[in-house]
Amino acid sequence: MDDTPIGRAAQQAVEAMHRAGEGLPRPEQTRVMVVANQKGGVGKTTTTVNLAASLALHGARVLVVDLDPQGNASTALGIDHHAEVPSIYDVLVESKPLSEVVQPVRDVEGLFCAPATIDLAGAEIELVSLVARESRLQRAISAYEQPLDYILIDCPPSLGLLTVNALVASTEVLIPIQCEYYALEGLGQLLRNVDLVKGHLNPALHVSTILLTMYDGRTRLASQVADEVRGHFHNEVLRTNIPRSVRISEAPSYGQTVLTYDPGSSGALSYLEAAREIALRNAEAHQNHQHSTAEGNQ
Ligand code: ATP
Ligand code: MG
């Protein structure tokens, strides 16, 4: 990454946030996180790619799985995803190994992407008649041998078989919530699906993280919505909000994340901070768990 100007600038932004040499704790096992909300346009894709890039800039190895036929995450990461490119469709429907479709992301070391092509639009129907239709992504991820710290899965705005595959493959659900009217509308349906998948297919699944996006601190509405969400999900909501930022929305049209597009912008810094919180909270929870297990053994 150091050999490109934007890579250097992004690295400098990360270093500006840390004392020299202070890295973030890496998870003991790969954390597989599904970024889901069946509401459209709430910032799922934006959050997936910018958090992934932030975690990678913090030193982690991160894979983005684009599970949305729109392929927006692939576009934002500058990954070629025209119809002939080997993609997540081949993995889900044709049982191609994940390693054969993963591509490195230019400019961000340690960041990789399994792209989505337009073929994926048909997968929702094609999957119905396949064996183990809900767990095909999970199987592909289990068989993937490259070491990774995080896998972030970007979902389409629906609760069909693609999203179910993501829920079965993950241990954590990350829900981006847009600070607008009706922010919580429809969330009950997502939470019920999470419970269903947890009960029947994936006992480890839980909502670990909620991120408030497109936060406009100048409006009362935004802070009201934020208070309401924090009231409902006391422990899960990150302290960091993502501000509404033109730089964040411009970056994808250059095939970049905001971390390389404008590393010093408020949007880039907020995603870096959110990534830091995600890494630190997990490490703290892990330490507390070890502590209580040790006490229990005494
Ligand atoms: P879909 O449901 O269609 O997949 P999504 O939930 O993935 O949508 P995004 O595509 O990430 O949502 O974001 C929707 C739109 O809002 C995009 O145009 C994006 O650039 C813009 N956007 C996302 N986050 C921000 C932000 N913090 N500031 C400004 N614009 C944003
Ligand atoms: Mg999206």
Side-chain angles (χ1 to χ4, degrees):
M1 176 170 62
D2 289 348
D3 52 3
T4 62
I6 47 179
R8 263 197 305 279
Q11 195 60 51
Q12 277 164 7
V14 176
E15 281 160 14
M17 292 183 67
H18 295 294
R19 287 186 294 279
E22 187 199 2
L24 281 180
R26 293 167 78 160
E28 303 223 321
Q29 287 173 343
T30 310
R31 291 175 69 184
V32 187
M33 308 177 81
V34 45
V35 181
N37 189 331
Q38 79 275 24
K39 219 171 161 152
V42 296
K44 292 181 288 294
T45 302
T46 306
T47 293
T48 305
V49 299
N50 289 303
L51 265 186
S54 298
L55 289 163
L57 286 165
H58 281 309
R61 284 175 61 88
V62 188
L63 171 64
V64 169
V65 173
D66 189 349
L67 214 57
D68 186 341
Q70 297 176 102
N72 293 340
S74 311
T75 304
L77 294 172
I79 300 286
D80 197 4
H81 61 109
H82 60 81
E84 281 80 46
V85 171
S87 73
I88 202 70
Y89 169 87
D90 303 297
V91 173
L92 290 175
V93 178
E94 313 285 355
S95 303
K96 196 188 258 288
L98 190 53
S99 56
E100 290 182 22
V101 313
V102 167
Q103 298 187 43
V105 173
R106 201 168 44 91
D107 298 325
V108 183
E109 197 180 300
L111 182 56
F112 303 86
C113 175
T117 60
I118 190 65
D119 291 341
L120 196 59
E124 199 78 70
I125 290 167
E126 288 174 67
L127 279 170
V128 173
S129 59
L130 297 181
V131 290
R133 59 189 180 185
E134 295 98 353
S135 50
R136 297 180 75 87
L137 181 61
Q138 186 249 321
R139 287 180 179 199
I141 287 177
S142 308
Y144 188 69
E145 287 181 341
Q146 297 300 318
L148 288 169
D149 297 306
Y150 298 88
I151 299 176
L152 267 57
I153 308 171
D154 185 30
C155 285
S158 62
L159 293 170
L161 266 176
L162 288 171
T163 299
V164 169
N165 261 271
L167 291 170
V168 172
S170 303
T171 45
E172 300 180 44
V173 186
L174 188 164
I175 308 178
I177 293 183
Q178 187 183 356
C179 292
E180 288 289 343
Y181 273 124
Y182 311 123
L184 297 177
E185 196 185 62
L187 212 59
Q189 207 187 341
L190 171 62
L191 297 177
R192 276 192 295 282
N193 272 38
V194 170
D195 279 343
L196 275 175
V197 170
K198 183 183 168 76
H200 295 281
L201 297 161
N202 181 10
L205 187 69
H206 63 287
V207 176
S208 70
T209 312
I210 292 180
L211 179 61
L212 298 171
T213 62
M214 298 184 233
Y215 186 85
D216 184 347
R218 292 166 306 181
T219 67
R220 283 238 329 250
L221 175 64
S223 60
Q224 279 167 358
V225 172
D227 288 347
E228 194 183 345
V229 175
R230 286 180 199 284
H232 277 277
F233 304 96
H234 186 63
N235 294 319
E236 291 82 9
V237 186
L238 296 184
R239 277 194 308 277
T240 313
N241 299 335
I242 306 302
R244 190 173 274 289
S245 140
V246 175
R247 307 307 262 169
I248 289 180
S249 58
E250 284 172 350
S253 51
Y254 298 89
Q256 286 186 42
T257 68
V258 74
L259 281 304
T260 53
Y261 177 63
D262 191 350
S265 64
S266 61
L269 296 175
S270 66
Y271 271 113
L272 282 169
E273 189 53 35
R276 192 177 145 81
E277 249 191 89
I278 286 172
L280 290 175
R281 284 159 56 120
N282 184 63
E284 278 162 22
H286 194 75
Q287 260 183 355
N288 290 343
H289 178 71
Q290 277 189 330
H291 194 64
S292 58
T293 313
E295 277 180 355
N297 288 341
Q298 276 173 7

PDB file of all heavy atoms in Angstrom, residues 15 21 23 40 80 105 126-127 138 148 161 183 204 224 244 256 285:
ATOM      1  N   GLU A  15      -2.190   6.601  11.352  1.00  0.00           N
ATOM      2  CA  GLU A  15      -1.113   6.848  12.317  1.00  0.00           C
ATOM      3  C   GLU A  15      -1.391   8.096  13.145  1.00  0.00           C
ATOM      4  O   GLU A  15      -1.055   8.167  14.324  1.00  0.00           O
ATOM      5  CB  GLU A  15       0.237   6.928  11.599  1.00  0.00           C
ATOM      6  CG  GLU A  15       0.753   5.535  11.276  1.00  0.00           C
ATOM      7  CD  GLU A  15       1.799   5.525  10.186  1.00  0.00           C
ATOM      8  OE1 GLU A  15       2.316   6.599   9.852  1.00  0.00           O
ATOM      9  OE2 GLU A  15       2.095   4.421   9.684  1.00  0.00           O
ATOM     10  N   GLY A  21       3.144   2.873  16.730  1.00  0.00           N
ATOM     11  CA  GLY A  21       3.364   1.488  17.132  1.00  0.00           C
ATOM     12  C   GLY A  21       2.196   0.855  17.868  1.00  0.00           C
ATOM     13  O   GLY A  21       2.168  -0.349  18.089  1.00  0.00           O
ATOM     14  N   GLY A  23      -0.992  -0.834  17.902  1.00  0.00           N
ATOM     15  CA  GLY A  23      -1.918  -1.476  16.978  1.00  0.00           C
ATOM     16  C   GLY A  23      -3.192  -1.843  17.711  1.00  0.00           C
ATOM     17  O   GLY A  23      -3.326  -1.616  18.897  1.00  0.00           O
ATOM     18  N   GLY A  40     -33.936  -0.417   2.563  1.00  0.00           N
ATOM     19  CA  GLY A  40     -32.980  -0.018   1.529  1.00  0.00           C
ATOM     20  C   GLY A  40     -32.307   1.307   1.874  1.00  0.00           C
ATOM     21  O   GLY A  40     -32.899   2.150   2.555  1.00  0.00           O
ATOM     22  N   ASP A  80     -13.388  -5.358 -10.391  1.00  0.00           N
ATOM     23  CA  ASP A  80     -14.064  -5.661 -11.641  1.00  0.00           C
ATOM     24  C   ASP A  80     -15.133  -6.713 -11.378  1.00  0.00           C
ATOM     25  O   ASP A  80     -14.857  -7.747 -10.785  1.00  0.00           O
ATOM     26  CB  ASP A  80     -12.993  -6.225 -12.594  1.00  0.00           C
ATOM     27  CG  ASP A  80     -13.476  -6.195 -14.026  1.00  0.00           C
ATOM     28  OD1 ASP A  80     -14.584  -5.675 -14.260  1.00  0.00           O
ATOM     29  OD2 ASP A  80     -12.736  -6.692 -14.897  1.00  0.00           O
ATOM     30  N   VAL A 105      -7.897  -5.997  -2.921  1.00  0.00           N
ATOM     31  CA  VAL A 105      -8.341  -4.625  -3.196  1.00  0.00           C
ATOM     32  C   VAL A 105      -7.114  -3.740  -3.374  1.00  0.00           C
ATOM     33  O   VAL A 105      -6.215  -3.732  -2.531  1.00  0.00           O
ATOM     34  CB  VAL A 105      -9.226  -4.109  -2.037  1.00  0.00           C
ATOM     35  CG1 VAL A 105      -9.553  -2.629  -2.225  1.00  0.00           C
ATOM     36  CG2 VAL A 105     -10.502  -4.933  -1.944  1.00  0.00           C
ATOM     37  N   GLU A 126     -32.566 -19.840  -7.888  1.00  0.00           N
ATOM     38  CA  GLU A 126     -31.819 -21.077  -8.150  1.00  0.00           C
ATOM     39  C   GLU A 126     -31.476 -21.821  -6.865  1.00  0.00           C
ATOM     40  O   GLU A 126     -31.425 -23.050  -6.835  1.00  0.00           O
ATOM     41  CB  GLU A 126     -30.542 -20.758  -8.935  1.00  0.00           C
ATOM     42  CG  GLU A 126     -30.848 -20.369 -10.380  1.00  0.00           C
ATOM     43  CD  GLU A 126     -29.597 -19.913 -11.109  1.00  0.00           C
ATOM     44  OE1 GLU A 126     -28.706 -20.754 -11.320  1.00  0.00           O
ATOM     45  OE2 GLU A 126     -29.520 -18.717 -11.442  1.00  0.00           O
ATOM     46  N   LEU A 127     -31.238 -21.075  -5.809  1.00  0.00           N
ATOM     47  CA  LEU A 127     -30.857 -21.720  -4.538  1.00  0.00           C
ATOM     48  C   LEU A 127     -31.983 -22.608  -3.995  1.00  0.00           C
ATOM     49  O   LEU A 127     -31.719 -23.614  -3.326  1.00  0.00           O
ATOM     50  CB  LEU A 127     -30.517 -20.652  -3.486  1.00  0.00           C
ATOM     51  CG  LEU A 127     -29.122 -20.030  -3.550  1.00  0.00           C
ATOM     52  CD1 LEU A 127     -29.043 -18.828  -2.619  1.00  0.00           C
ATOM     53  CD2 LEU A 127     -28.057 -21.060  -3.159  1.00  0.00           C
ATOM     54  N   GLN A 138     -21.882 -20.571   4.280  1.00  0.00           N
ATOM     55  CA  GLN A 138     -21.187 -21.019   5.491  1.00  0.00           C
ATOM     56  C   GLN A 138     -20.173 -22.114   5.150  1.00  0.00           C
ATOM     57  O   GLN A 138     -19.032 -22.095   5.616  1.00  0.00           O
ATOM     58  CB  GLN A 138     -22.225 -21.514   6.502  1.00  0.00           C
ATOM     59  CG  GLN A 138     -21.666 -21.869   7.860  1.00  0.00           C
ATOM     60  CD  GLN A 138     -21.727 -23.351   8.125  1.00  0.00           C
ATOM     61  OE1 GLN A 138     -22.695 -24.007   7.756  1.00  0.00           O
ATOM     62  NE2 GLN A 138     -20.704 -23.881   8.744  1.00  0.00           N
ATOM     63  N   LEU A 148      -7.738 -14.996   8.111  1.00  0.00           N
ATOM     64  CA  LEU A 148      -8.460 -13.723   8.083  1.00  0.00           C
ATOM     65  C   LEU A 148      -8.847 -13.327   9.502  1.00  0.00           C
ATOM     66  O   LEU A 148      -9.133 -14.185  10.333  1.00  0.00           O
ATOM     67  CB  LEU A 148      -9.760 -13.857   7.267  1.00  0.00           C
ATOM     68  CG  LEU A 148      -9.651 -13.994   5.755  1.00  0.00           C
ATOM     69  CD1 LEU A 148     -11.002 -14.392   5.170  1.00  0.00           C
ATOM     70  CD2 LEU A 148      -9.158 -12.699   5.114  1.00  0.00           C
ATOM     71  N   LEU A 161     -33.200 -15.753   0.553  1.00  0.00           N
ATOM     72  CA  LEU A 161     -32.197 -16.804   0.806  1.00  0.00           C
ATOM     73  C   LEU A 161     -30.763 -16.287   0.825  1.00  0.00           C
ATOM     74  O   LEU A 161     -29.908 -16.865   1.489  1.00  0.00           O
ATOM     75  CB  LEU A 161     -32.319 -17.899  -0.261  1.00  0.00           C
ATOM     76  CG  LEU A 161     -33.214 -19.082   0.118  1.00  0.00           C
ATOM     77  CD1 LEU A 161     -33.326 -20.056  -1.060  1.00  0.00           C
ATOM     78  CD2 LEU A 161     -32.687 -19.809   1.362  1.00  0.00           C
ATOM     79  N   ALA A 183     -36.782   4.961  11.531  1.00  0.00           N
ATOM     80  CA  ALA A 183     -35.507   4.234  11.567  1.00  0.00           C
ATOM     81  C   ALA A 183     -35.690   2.815  12.078  1.00  0.00           C
ATOM     82  O   ALA A 183     -35.036   1.884  11.608  1.00  0.00           O
ATOM     83  CB  ALA A 183     -34.517   4.982  12.452  1.00  0.00           C
ATOM     84  N   ALA A 204     -24.954 -19.762  17.381  1.00  0.00           N
ATOM     85  CA  ALA A 204     -23.978 -18.740  17.814  1.00  0.00           C
ATOM     86  C   ALA A 204     -24.364 -17.324  17.369  1.00  0.00           C
ATOM     87  O   ALA A 204     -23.783 -16.345  17.826  1.00  0.00           O
ATOM     88  CB  ALA A 204     -22.600 -19.089  17.263  1.00  0.00           C
ATOM     89  N   GLN A 224     -32.807  12.623  18.421  1.00  0.00           N
ATOM     90  CA  GLN A 224     -33.948  11.877  18.973  1.00  0.00           C
ATOM     91  C   GLN A 224     -33.896  10.413  18.563  1.00  0.00           C
ATOM     92  O   GLN A 224     -34.092   9.514  19.377  1.00  0.00           O
ATOM     93  CB  GLN A 224     -35.272  12.486  18.487  1.00  0.00           C
ATOM     94  CG  GLN A 224     -35.679  13.718  19.288  1.00  0.00           C
ATOM     95  CD  GLN A 224     -36.806  14.479  18.617  1.00  0.00           C
ATOM     96  OE1 GLN A 224     -37.276  14.116  17.536  1.00  0.00           O
ATOM     97  NE2 GLN A 224     -37.238  15.554  19.251  1.00  0.00           N
ATOM     98  N   ARG A 244     -23.346  12.368   8.272  1.00  0.00           N
ATOM     99  CA  ARG A 244     -23.685  12.532   6.860  1.00  0.00           C
ATOM    100  C   ARG A 244     -22.532  13.301   6.227  1.00  0.00           C
ATOM    101  O   ARG A 244     -22.120  14.337   6.739  1.00  0.00           O
ATOM    102  CB  ARG A 244     -24.992  13.302   6.738  1.00  0.00           C
ATOM    103  CG  ARG A 244     -25.555  13.330   5.354  1.00  0.00           C
ATOM    104  CD  ARG A 244     -26.924  13.973   5.347  1.00  0.00           C
ATOM    105  NE  ARG A 244     -27.988  13.031   5.647  1.00  0.00           N
ATOM    106  CZ  ARG A 244     -28.393  12.078   4.818  1.00  0.00           C
ATOM    107  NH1 ARG A 244     -27.838  11.945   3.632  1.00  0.00           N
ATOM    108  NH2 ARG A 244     -29.361  11.260   5.160  1.00  0.00           N
ATOM    109  N   GLN A 256     -13.443   3.769  -4.847  1.00  0.00           N
ATOM    110  CA  GLN A 256     -12.636   3.849  -3.624  1.00  0.00           C
ATOM    111  C   GLN A 256     -13.516   3.889  -2.380  1.00  0.00           C
ATOM    112  O   GLN A 256     -14.678   4.276  -2.433  1.00  0.00           O
ATOM    113  CB  GLN A 256     -11.809   5.142  -3.645  1.00  0.00           C
ATOM    114  CG  GLN A 256     -10.651   5.106  -4.604  1.00  0.00           C
ATOM    115  CD  GLN A 256      -9.806   6.354  -4.469  1.00  0.00           C
ATOM    116  OE1 GLN A 256      -9.537   6.813  -3.363  1.00  0.00           O
ATOM    117  NE2 GLN A 256      -9.401   6.903  -5.592  1.00  0.00           N
ATOM    118  N   ALA A 285     -14.418  -7.864  25.923  1.00  0.00           N
ATOM    119  CA  ALA A 285     -15.383  -8.926  26.261  1.00  0.00           C
ATOM    120  C   ALA A 285     -14.652 -10.245  26.444  1.00  0.00           C
ATOM    121  O   ALA A 285     -14.931 -11.020  27.353  1.00  0.00           O
ATOM    122  CB  ALA A 285     -16.439  -9.040  25.165  1.00  0.00           C
TER     123      ALA A 285
END
